[in-house]
Amino acid sequence: MQKLDKKTLQDSLLSARQNALKEANKHLTQHEDFRGMKIFSWSGANLNECFDALKQLDNPVIWIMSSDLEHDFREERPWLNQEVEAIISFGQANKKFRYDLEAQVTFFTRKNDILEACEMLTKVAHEGNTVFFAPGLGTKAKEMETTFLNYLKDNK
């Protein structure tokens, strides 16, 4: 059995972290700025990669996401309130989702659909914000991203 020294272990962990960030970046797309805000969308299928991508963005971040997501956000609480200023969710009401996230950010709201979420974005976001659009892991994610980007284009 090979004995690992501290340096080898650190190098191995660093390499694994860099590989995870590369995977996250593969699915992170920066779009044309909107009213002085940086716009990013994430289209991957792994929620941990989504979190890694989110952590790389400049603050303050406004996260637009589907409330249909089934995830326990308790593990994300230590970093979430440092990285994300506001969450605008859309979709069905999800009490657990709201409970997990609402106390972690300055502003939280849920809208019925993506267009209502976009309208809310124009009301709460301001120049200097970074917008992170991550519609979820479902089959309609690409369609929702197109709707989001078209809304921004039509409402410059």
Side-chain angles (χ1 to χ4, degrees):
M1 186 167 163
Q2 181 184 6
K3 184 177 178 182
L4 293 175
D5 62 21
K6 186 176 180 180
K7 173 86 170 108
T8 303
L9 186 57
Q10 286 175 332
D11 289 348
S12 178
L13 290 172
L14 180 61
S15 176
R17 180 71 182 141
Q18 288 171 335
N19 287 338
L21 290 175
K22 283 180 189 173
E23 282 300 308
N25 285 336
K26 239 181 7 183
H27 303 287
L28 183 65
T29 305
Q30 184 169 5
H31 301 280
E32 184 178 334
D33 286 4
F34 174 73
R35 298 182 184 177
M37 295 174 267
K38 295 178 186 174
I39 305 295
F40 292 88
S41 64
W42 185 83
S43 60
N46 179 308
L47 198 52
N48 289 324
E49 290 175 9
C50 175
F51 296 149
D52 286 339
L54 178 61
K55 290 175 188 177
Q56 295 178 60
L57 301 178
D58 295 332
N59 296 343
V61 172
I62 297 175
W63 187 2
I64 302 177
M65 63 192 298
S66 170
S67 59
D68 299 334
L69 189 61
E70 295 294 329
H71 180 73
D72 182 351
F73 285 90
R74 285 182 284 187
E75 289 183 29
E76 286 72 44
R77 286 182 182 165
W79 61 264
L80 192 62
N81 63 357
Q82 296 171 7
E83 302 290 336
V84 179
E85 178 180 322
I87 293 176
I88 302 171
S89 69
F90 60 91
Q92 296 182 5
N94 180 336
K95 287 181 184 179
K96 183 182 180 327
F97 177 84
R98 184 175 191 119
Y99 174 78
D100 282 351
L101 295 172
E102 189 170 34
Q104 302 306 311
V105 294
T106 304
F107 179 81
F108 180 95
T109 191
R110 183 195 64 82
K111 297 299 176 187
N112 291 320
D113 59 46
I114 182 66
L115 291 176
E116 286 182 13
C118 290
E119 289 171 9
M120 179 56 67
L121 173 67
T122 61
K123 293 175 184 173
V124 300
H126 52 83
E127 188 172 332
N129 282 134
T130 298
V131 177
F132 181 65
F133 181 76
L137 309 175
T139 56
K140 294 187 176 185
K142 192 63 177 167
E143 179 183 324
M144 287 186 270
E145 179 184 33
T146 300
T147 300
F148 171 72
L149 294 173
N150 285 339
Y151 180 90
L152 298 182
K153 180 181 169 188
D154 294 344
N155 291 278
K156 280 228 171 244

